[in-house]
Amino acid sequence: TSNFTESLKLNKILYFAGLCVLATGCNDLDTEPLGNIITSTQKSDVIKGDPAMIESSVSAIPSTGNLFGKILGTNQHMDFGYPAILAGLDSRTAEMVSDVTGYNWFSEQVEFSDYKPTSRLTRMIWGTMYNQILAANSVIATIDSETKDPLSMYYLAQGLAYRANSYFVLAQSYQFTYKGNETLPCVPLITDKNQNEVASNGAPRATVQEVYDQIDSDINEAIRLLEESGRISATARADKKFFNASNAHGLRARINLVKQNWAEAVKDAQYVIDNSKATPYSIAEVSKPSFWDAADHSWLLAVIVEESDRVVTIGICNWPSMMCSFSSNGYVAVGAWRRGSKKMVDGLNIDDVRKGWFLNSNGKSPNLSAEQQAYLTGAISAPSTPAYVNVKFDIYNSNFSNPVCANDMPLMRIEEMYLILAEAQAMGGDAATGAQTLTSFISTYRDPSYTCAASTAEGVQDEVWKQRCVEFWGEGMGYFDYLRLRKAIDRRGAGFAPAQCFNIEPNDPILLFQIPQTEVEGNTQLGANNPEPSKAPTPVADVD
């Protein structure tokens, strides 16, 4: 079809974009009974008569983040979509500990040897997010921006919100945080308005400010459309792969946190708490391995995984294979364990339910059933289960006899909004209120004995960060927090092997990814890449 050909031209700027088009470019608007080929104008006319006709194109946007082998190829087992990116980012932090082994597909991130423009993770980030932008642009270009039809407004909002999120991920991956870096080069901006020109001539790196201006424009318009169309919240599992007004406000809360728009972050987080119908997991609910089902009441946005998806039927090339310690059909069972930082786990109060999300130094957790504990201490082929291995994430359907790895992946939970609220209140000038918000949330839902003792804004912010490190461990949020807060990645005392015990300063260029080499070669307007470090970080002496 004509739009398929046009999309293929974008390969000059969008790394592996054609792979996305092969999966999503030809949709229900290009087939019988409307005719074999119709133009974009004809598509718009059809949609005006029946907005539901664009449904498959809208569904294709989140689907670009749940595909196997579309960026690196099917022989690269870390190529399983957006969850792979999140696992890779977490592996760069000080809180997720794993060994550099042949079975660990994220060894490059553990040792920070992924700084070259040919590295796998930068190709995954660039290709996956620009594929999603391409799919979003296709939807945005097809729907009248002035539409008053509620269904069309909802669909248009999906394109805008997903495009905002994609650029938000890219901006945080390829340049340092927003504040103070507004004029630095970030990533090329490709929208529905300029994509044909970009396909012919390429595009330069926009500044950080320009990228965030586009993010703001997209998410603000998406929120308006969702509110006016009445799509405020979602409780059904299947709907949580799409944006509604609540999780769109949640995304904007994250953006405002990065931009240090404290008052606006407070408003957005409070909106989600008041309107989403989501409630935090209770202490009882997370006193056992959990976090695998988007139907859970705390989840706001998710990668929805079905048993028929290729990332599942392929067997071991998926998120549970790499992250769930109970996965018998995965890499964890042969030694690629994901462990919590010893310093982090040992530092938790004895009453904190999250202490049991990890085995202790003796290989035990109070959160495990006898069957689960027995499985980890002897019913596997590996020699032993190391201390501090995570038991946060349960196996699919909580069923040991089922080797299917079809866990949903959380992208946003209501718990985050309480922590954003506490930080933004404190940094906005009311440290006491922020401390009280944090105390109330943690003592109610995680640790009954907890009190936030910090009295300054920065003290509350630092305490919130520590809580975020624990609460969202393994959910792919930690690395961007390091960049946002300008924290050193200090792995001393965490339990890393000596060769991966680093203390990386907040301004070290190795923290930014290099733009992929294919993009550099294909886009003549790109300009200079990020500085390439001469080598991986130098290990430092560990501490007990």
Side-chain angles (χ1 to χ4, degrees), residues 447-508:
D447 176 6
S449 64
Y450 177 82
T451 299
C452 176
S455 58
T456 66
E458 290 75 15
V460 174
Q461 183 183 53
D462 196 57
E463 184 61 25
V464 169
W465 172 65
K466 293 175 183 176
Q467 297 297 330
R468 288 172 65 97
C469 286
V470 182
E471 181 67 29
F472 304 114
W473 186 97
E475 297 179 43
M477 294 171 58
Y479 189 68
F480 288 157
D481 273 348
Y482 273 99
L483 297 176
R484 174 176 70 87
L485 297 169
R486 294 178 170 90
K487 297 278 188 182
I489 297 181
D490 185 357
R491 290 177 169 180
R492 292 173 295 178
F496 284 89
Q500 289 85 49
C501 184
F502 304 130
N503 186 12
I504 304 173
E505 291 301 314
N507 60 349
D508 194 313

Side-chain angles (χ1 to χ4, degrees), residues 8-83:
L8 283 178
K9 292 178 182 178
L10 288 175
N11 273 324
K12 296 174 69 176
I13 184 67
L14 303 182
Y15 184 77
F16 282 138
L19 292 172
C20 168
V21 179
L22 290 173
T24 65
C26 294
N27 54 57
D28 58 349
L29 293 178
D30 293 326
T31 58
E32 299 288 350
L34 301 177
N36 293 325
I37 301 175
I38 61 176
T39 67
S40 296
T41 301
Q42 288 172 318
K43 283 185 180 183
S44 297
D45 291 340
V46 170
I47 291 166
K48 288 176 182 177
D50 185 4
M53 291 298 293
I54 200 173
E55 182 177 357
S56 66
S57 293
V58 173
S59 295
I61 303 175
S63 296
T64 60
N66 189 34
L67 300 173
F68 171 66
K70 294 302 181 183
I71 306 298
L72 307 176
T74 55
N75 65 333
Q76 300 292 314
H77 290 191
M78 68 178 288
D79 188 355
F80 52 86
Y82 191 52

Side-chain angles (χ1 to χ4, degrees), residues 319-340:
W319 189 87
S321 168
M322 314 286 177
M323 291 293 299
C324 176
S325 299
F326 304 107
S327 178
S328 60
N329 187 27
Y331 280 103
V332 291
V334 291
W337 303 103
R338 309 289 162 191
R339 309 191 296 275

Side-chain angles (χ1 to χ4, degrees), residues 192-214:
D192 56 299
K193 299 292 193 298
N194 72 343
Q195 60 185 13
N196 291 334
E197 178 185 350
V198 170
S200 299
N201 302 316
R205 297 175 70 178
T207 66
V208 170
Q209 184 66 64
E210 289 168 336
V211 174
Y212 274 88
D213 286 347
Q214 184 66 53

Side-chain angles (χ1 to χ4, degrees), residues 70-220:
K70 294 302 181 183
I71 306 298
L72 307 176
T74 55
N75 65 333
Q76 300 292 314
H77 290 191
M78 68 178 288
D79 188 355
F80 52 86
Y82 191 52
I85 294 172
L86 300 180
L89 293 173
D90 265 347
S91 297
R92 276 185 153 221
T93 69
E95 284 67 46
M96 181 178 287
V97 183
S98 61
D99 297 323
V100 175
T101 73
Y103 290 115
N104 185 358
W105 279 92
F106 300 97
S107 289
E108 291 179 348
Q109 285 68 61
V110 178
E111 59 188 3
F112 273 84
S113 62
D114 61 346
Y115 56 84
K116 295 182 179 295
T118 54
S119 78
R120 291 181 295 196
L121 187 56
T122 190
R123 292 158 61 194
M124 282 290 297
I125 295 170
W126 193 271
T128 301
M129 303 327 296
Y130 273 114
N131 279 353
Q132 198 156 83
I133 290 167
L134 177 64
N137 284 344
S138 177
V139 169
I140 295 167
T142 308
I143 302 176
D144 182 0
S145 62
E146 301 299 322
T147 182
K148 299 301 180 185
D149 173 72
L151 186 57
S152 295
M153 294 169 74
Y154 174 68
Y155 287 158
L156 179 56
Q158 301 310 308
L160 292 166
Y162 265 106
R163 188 168 71 183
N165 185 68
S166 295
Y167 277 121
F168 190 44
V169 172
L170 289 166
Q172 295 176 93
S173 300
Y174 293 98
Q175 192 49 265
F176 288 112
T177 193
Y178 173 84
K179 206 70 172 179
N181 299 304
E182 293 91 339
T183 62
L184 296 182
C186 194
V187 297
L189 279 174
I190 298 99
T191 71
D192 56 299
K193 299 292 193 298
N194 72 343
Q195 60 185 13
N196 291 334
E197 178 185 350
V198 170
S200 299
N201 302 316
R205 297 175 70 178
T207 66
V208 170
Q209 184 66 64
E210 289 168 336
V211 174
Y212 274 88
D213 286 347
Q214 184 66 53
I215 292 170
D216 289 342
S217 174
D218 284 347
I219 193 60
N220 290 342

